[in-house]
Structures are given as C-alpha cells and as structure tokens.
Amino acid sequence: MPDRDTLTVIIDNREIIVESASFIRTMDTGCDACSVIMPWEIGLDPDIDRITRPYSYSPAKIKIGDEVISEMVLYDVTQRTNSSGTVKELDFFSKTADIIDSTVIAPYEMNNVKLTDRCKQQCNPFGINVFIGDDTLKSISETRKVIYDTGKTREFVIGATFSRTLDLKPITQKFPIKKSKLVTDEKKFPRVKAEPTETIWSHLSKLAAQRGLLLSCTPQGDLLITTANVNGKPVGTIEESLSPLASEFQAKFSGRDRFNTYRAIVKSSNTGRPSGIQAAKDTVVKAPRLLTFNADDNIPGEAKSAAEWRKNKSAADAMSISFPVNGWYAPDGSLWKPNTTVTVISDTIGTGKKGFTFLITRVELKYSSGGNSAVLELKPPTYYKSGEMVEPWLE
C-alpha cells in the first residue's frame, strides 16, 4: 500500500519519476493545477519522451497515497539543461482549462434558460460534464405554479340562435380542462447574453455569481456548480502559541481595495442606456469611497446582487492570509482541501484568544525530498454570502 505522504504522477498509464511537485486545488477558479519537475535523460526512454513531448496533451493522474485526487491534462512543457542537470518541468491542468481559455460558443443570447443548461451548452463540446453539488440543488431551485392540460374537455354554452319557430337553440363549444400544480425546478434566467470575444469561464462565472454560486471542478476535471461551505464543521484548530502545525502566521490587509459604496448601473439590454442604479454599503469603510460599475438587466434584481457581490469580492481581494503548514493533513486526519473550514487562534492574524473559523479557499500541496508541506489561503466565510460581513480583526 502506497505511503499516504507520497505523491505519484501517472502520464498515459506510465508512472514518472518526480523530483518535486506542487499541486494546487481551489474552490472557485474552476481548474486545478499541478507542476512537476522530472529528471530527464534525453533519448533513454523513448516512450517517456513521447508522452512528455511538447503539445502531446497527454492524459495524467495525480495520486496521493493510493487515492487519485485529480485527473488532468499535460498542457505546458519546459525542457531545461544547466549545471544541475537536465529536467522537464511539466504543468498539468484540469480539462476545464479549455473553457477558461476558449471564447463563448454560439448562441450568444438565450432566453428562459437554466444555469445548468447554459453550462452544458458551453462545456459539453469540450467533453466536460456539468454536476451540481448535493448541497447546492436546493439553493438554485424554486417552487412555482404551472398550468397543465388534463386532456379532457368541458362543454359550455357560449350563445344562442332563434329558430323559425322562435325557439332558442344554444350554441356550445368545448374547452380543454386545465389544472394547476406546484413544481420545484431550477430557476431560469429570463435572458443571458455574452460577447463573442468573452471567455466561457467569464460568462458562466458571472451567471453563477448572480445566483450566489461558485464554479469549481471535480477530481475528474468536470465542471462543478457548488456553494461556499460557510457553515461546515472545522477540520481542526491551529493555535499560534501551541501548535507546531503552522510554520508562519501572516496576514496582509489593503484598505485601498475597499469602498464605502458600490453602485451597480443597470443598462437596458435593448437600448444599452442606463435604466437604474442599485447600491451596497461596506460599513467598515468610513470615508465616502465610491465604486461605480456597469451591470445589465438580464435578471430582475441582478444589479442589487451584483453590487453585493462586488462589495464582498473587494473585501476578499483586499486581504490575504497565506498560511503555510507542515504536512498535507489537517488535525482531523483528512487531506487539506478547499471549501472546508479551519479555526485559527492567532494574535498575529488578529483572531484574538477566541479564535476565528476561516474558509479555506485554496490549497497548495508541496512535495520534495525535503519533506511535505502545504499553503492554505484563508478568508472569512461571510465574504461568500449576502448580508453583513463578519471579520475578526474588526471586533
């Protein structure tokens, strides 16, 4: 049984020698990545040369222990010789990289379309399937009343005529019998629109944001529609004064990246002219700093959602906690993963003695002869939901 601290790279069913590696997994960028340094003796193994040649687009699997954690494609190859020897640097990405790089597939406009259907329409030509997280289906669905035809009819008198004897003769007509029922189904966008030069990823992630959703990828490289796990049980606690788990405590805060007011200008999809404004407030910022941006009116209430989303995104971008830890495993024994939570007690970061539970948004697992380590990107969970943001350094 493979060691749980071993990283294995298999390219086109061949295991390669790994000198060092870095595997990155995120919850909201739609694509995982792995960079590998492979010692290389030119011409010694023609099969290895073949599957690692530039533009081979070879399929690959990344394993930790005996678990395949990602199926990827070899996209970038760097071949290098220097005083240290000859190596290949191989960069693998999930196949969702294709929709991140490629521009939108026609039709560029669609009416009454579900997010999942629009995702499938854009992703399926690349061999990318679309999945919805188990905890997400409820949040993208709505219950509404629909009218349906029972297949039966009912006869009604709609008028009358007089006969020659002055007798009344009724005029009847059959009408279909319809009934109503409540159905639960995914919400639809009244209208979606993309520019031909816009990337598929940009287009789909904007639609997902309007529903408060994230786009990620599965270990197989398919698109995953999910939500931020803001209420998840922490995988453990790291305390600055006690734990040898973390090798550094650091947080950076950029006040100039936040604004007091975020104004979304709605532009009519028909005329292109402004038709309304919605705003969101960041009460942390005391000065009247203002950011105004354009939103369209494809969705009722979208401008308000866009303003809230921009406010939260700005707060998330304004702070950075890059948290190095020793090893690949959380205190509960699970592999560090994005979209999970961890509690940190650190005066340096500003959590105070009570500690604060952060959302892990990105994980980088590092593998080398010097030992295994990881780097966690941490954000306050409320950055990924509507309403007031809760930040420990403000208490």
Side-chain angles (χ1 to χ4, degrees), residues 94-108:
S94 307
K95 60 185 178 182
T96 43
D98 292 336
I99 65 168
I100 291 175
D101 301 336
S102 300
T103 49
V104 172
I105 299 171
Y108 304 118

Side-chain angles (χ1 to χ4, degrees), residues 25 116 184:
R25 178 185 284 175
T116 52
T184 300

Side-chain angles (χ1 to χ4, degrees), residues 294-353:
N294 290 321
D296 55 44
D297 63 351
N298 291 342
I299 308 162
E302 177 200 344
K304 181 64 176 177
S305 300
E308 290 283 351
W309 176 81
R310 189 63 174 266
K311 176 196 72 173
N312 289 10
K313 184 178 187 302
S314 295
D317 293 343
M319 57 82 57
S320 171
I321 301 179
S322 186
F323 200 75
V325 292
N326 301 312
W328 292 342
Y329 295 92
D332 69 352
S334 63
L335 191 70
W336 288 114
K337 294 178 182 178
N339 209 14
T340 58
T341 61
V342 62
T343 300
V344 177
I345 301 174
S346 166
D347 288 332
T348 301
I349 290 177
T351 66
K353 302 302 180 184

Side-chain angles (χ1 to χ4, degrees), residues 156-162 167-173:
F156 292 91
V157 176
I158 62 172
T161 59
F162 287 99
D167 292 330
L168 287 174
K169 183 178 180 181
I171 300 174
T172 62
Q173 185 173 338

